[in-house]
């Protein structure tokens, strides 16, 4: 039962350009959406989140957009840097404290 | 500040052997605790979560079990490991009602 889906397993972009990572969900009860960044053999680290009552949240180079009608969110990284290369997980949280993750997208930023 | 400890970092176990992974959280009270697994080339699968001592919710039927004997301690166990139990196991915590989840450093389990 995949309630959170990341359909692109990998993405490659040039340094300085925009990276757009996408995520779709099926459960309309999710109240928070989050993005995590993960390096190999390490735990994921929190990147940015957005409440279900908002449609945009920005933090430096990172912006998350939420389209509730389409049950879709995206993470924009501008400008992309080689240090951004990692696996990015989309996550969605339920009001009773459950959290579901997508399969992840491996981002490679080429110098 | 809050910290989460997870050990061991790596573990190689034969098929059929038992398993015990431990996770502890410091600097907070009554956290929600989680066990996730990342199989090779796959995403993060929620295995168990707990909202209090002795309260365990299981997401996936399997030969793994979890226990929470103390407020800030979460243990993942198995009586007999299978090859399919190999993966990267992550413990996580968060304050109840707060959206951020904080992860431990993970345990790479190889069942041979």
């Amino acid at each position: 039962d995949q309630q959170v889906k990341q359909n692109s397993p990998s993405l490659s972009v040039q340094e300085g350009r925009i990276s757009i990572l996408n995520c779709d969900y099926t459960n309309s009860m999710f109240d928070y959406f989050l993005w995590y960044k993960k390096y190999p053999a390490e735990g994921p680290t929190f990147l940015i989140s957005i409440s279900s009552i908002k449609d945009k949240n920005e933090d430096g180079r990172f912006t998350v957009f939420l389209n509730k009608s389409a049950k879709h969110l995206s993470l924009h990284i501008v400008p992309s840097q080689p240090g951004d290369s990692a696996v990015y997980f989309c996550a969605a949280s339920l009001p009773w404290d459950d959290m579901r993750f997508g399969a992840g997208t491996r981002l490679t930023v080429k110098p | 500040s809050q910290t989460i400890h997870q050990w061991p970092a790596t573990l190689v176990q034969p098929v059929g052997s038992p398993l015990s992974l431990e996770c502890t959280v410091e600097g907070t009270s009554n956290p929600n605790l989680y066990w996730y697994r990342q199989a090779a080339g796959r995403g993060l699968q929620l295995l168990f979560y707990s909202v209090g001592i002795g309260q365990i919710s299981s997401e996936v039927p399997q030969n793994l079990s979890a226990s929470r004997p103390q407020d800030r301690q979460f243990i993942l166990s198995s009586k007999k490991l299978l090859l399919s139990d190999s993966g990267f196991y992550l413990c996580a915590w968060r304050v109840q009602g707060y959206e951020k989840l904080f992860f431990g450093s993970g345990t790479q389990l190889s069942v041979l």
Side-chain angles (χ1 to χ4, degrees):
Chain A
D1 177 19
Q2 275 196 297
Q3 298 185 47
V4 180
K5 296 181 181 180
Q6 293 176 258
N7 293 319
S8 298
S10 63
L11 174 68
S12 181
V13 299
Q14 208 66 34
E15 180 179 6
R17 308 294 282 268
I18 184 171
S19 295
I20 300 177
L21 296 97
N22 294 302
C23 178
D24 297 294
Y25 63 95
T26 57
N27 192 337
S28 58
M29 296 294 289
F30 290 134
D31 61 349
Y32 268 98
F33 302 90
L34 306 90
W35 285 94
Y36 282 80
K37 179 178 180 181
K38 184 182 182 300
Y39 294 114
E42 295 182 7
T45 55
F46 171 78
L47 195 58
I48 191 169
S49 65
I50 187 168
S51 165
S52 60
I53 62 173
K54 296 187 177 181
D55 55 18
K56 178 183 175 181
N57 187 28
E58 190 173 354
D59 183 3
R61 297 186 297 114
F62 303 92
T63 303
V64 56
F65 295 92
L66 176 63
N67 183 333
K68 286 187 68 177
S69 60
K71 291 189 174 69
H72 176 83
L73 66 154
S74 59
L75 174 68
H76 293 212
I77 306 174
V78 181
S80 300
Q81 299 174 354
D84 295 329
S85 296
V87 176
Y88 289 78
F89 287 99
C90 170
S93 179
L94 292 165
W96 47 92
D97 286 332
D98 193 354
M99 186 177 287
R100 307 288 173 142
F101 286 79
T105 297
R106 181 177 301 279
L107 173 66
T108 303
V109 180
K110 298 180 179 178
Chain B
S1 63
Q2 301 90 356
T3 56
I4 179 169
H5 301 280
Q6 185 180 345
W7 66 94
T10 59
L11 190 60
V12 180
Q13 292 285 98
V15 170
S17 63
L19 172 74
S20 181
L21 301 181
E22 189 165 341
C23 170
T24 59
V25 180
E26 295 178 357
T28 187
S29 296
N30 198 28
N32 284 358
L33 296 171
Y34 305 79
W35 279 110
Y36 285 87
R37 176 173 62 197
Q38 184 185 20
R42 303 186 67 179
L44 297 176
Q45 180 187 33
L46 177 63
L47 301 175
F48 302 94
Y49 70 97
S50 171
V51 299
I53 295 174
Q55 300 178 60
I56 309 294
S57 295
S58 175
E59 289 298 310
V60 183
Q62 58 215 329
N63 68 319
L64 299 172
S65 63
S67 62
R68 184 170 177 174
Q70 299 180 42
D71 180 45
R72 290 170 287 178
Q73 184 185 29
F74 207 22
I75 298 172
L76 182 70
S77 303
S78 175
K79 293 182 179 178
K80 287 186 177 182
L81 284 169
L82 306 173
L83 287 174
S84 57
D85 292 323
S86 294
F88 191 58
Y89 288 81
L90 289 156
C91 180
W93 74 275
R94 68 172 169 177
V95 174
Q96 291 186 15
Y98 190 52
E99 79 274 16
K100 291 183 187 177
L101 194 64
F102 299 95
F103 285 88
S105 54
T107 296
Q108 182 63 54
L109 172 66
S110 298
V111 182
L112 305 176

